Amino acid sequence: MIRSVSVKNAVKDAIEIFQFDQWLRFYFVTKKDDKLWVEIPDDALARIKENHIEMYRFADMVNNAETNYQIAQDNVCSHVAARLDGQKYESLVLPQVFDNAVFKIEMYIFNVWLKMHETHLDEEYMDFADWLEMYEGWNSMDEVKEYRAKLVDTGTDPGSPECETKQ
């Protein structure tokens, strides 16, 4: 099997996994006994399997399990490592992803979008593809492009989720 050495593609794939996790936690987290749990209904899980087969394993892994920020971050990092590190990409690629300026800026921009649109997103359930479509529409606006360019030009480091990667 030939593994890619493209950091650019690995960044894109990692971002999608982080976005999927945000989507899952946005719509499927419930509170039980003062703890947060991911509970994906069977019909939603079936649609994920049908429409996002690459993300199904992740959804199935976190389903019916307790969650919090640390657990979610650990799950995402584990999934990124299992799916991408040494599998799809050479093992030297993934450590570069999380330090990559594009990754950090895109995650920051995505989180800005999420905060700005939380009320709208909360009004009705949207599947992951619709979420991404809405995000891409917003992301393509001139104001957002200008803001992103400003972050790049100033070298601002908006931070990013932290994942331990093997080197």
Side-chain angles (χ1 to χ4, degrees), residues 26-52:
F26 192 86
Y27 287 114
F28 302 113
V29 168
T30 59
K31 194 171 190 175
K32 288 192 321 191
D33 302 323
D34 291 329
K35 293 183 179 181
L36 299 176
W37 288 75
V38 177
E39 294 183 348
I40 307 169
D42 290 342
D43 61 327
L45 200 57
R47 282 193 309 277
I48 291 167
K49 188 173 187 177
E50 180 181 329
N51 298 322
H52 308 284

Side-chain angles (χ1 to χ4, degrees), residues 5-60:
V5 294
S6 172
V7 173
K8 181 180 178 181
N9 288 343
V11 164
K12 183 177 178 271
D13 287 345
I15 287 170
E16 183 179 32
I17 293 167
F18 277 88
Q19 290 172 330
F20 185 76
D21 171 67
Q22 289 282 353
W23 173 77
L24 285 177
R25 289 189 292 132
F26 192 86
Y27 287 114
F28 302 113
V29 168
T30 59
K31 194 171 190 175
K32 288 192 321 191
D33 302 323
D34 291 329
K35 293 183 179 181
L36 299 176
W37 288 75
V38 177
E39 294 183 348
I40 307 169
D42 290 342
D43 61 327
L45 200 57
R47 282 193 309 277
I48 291 167
K49 188 173 187 177
E50 180 181 329
N51 298 322
H52 308 284
I53 190 67
E54 290 293 324
M55 299 297 170
Y56 173 75
R57 281 190 216 147
F58 180 74
D60 192 46

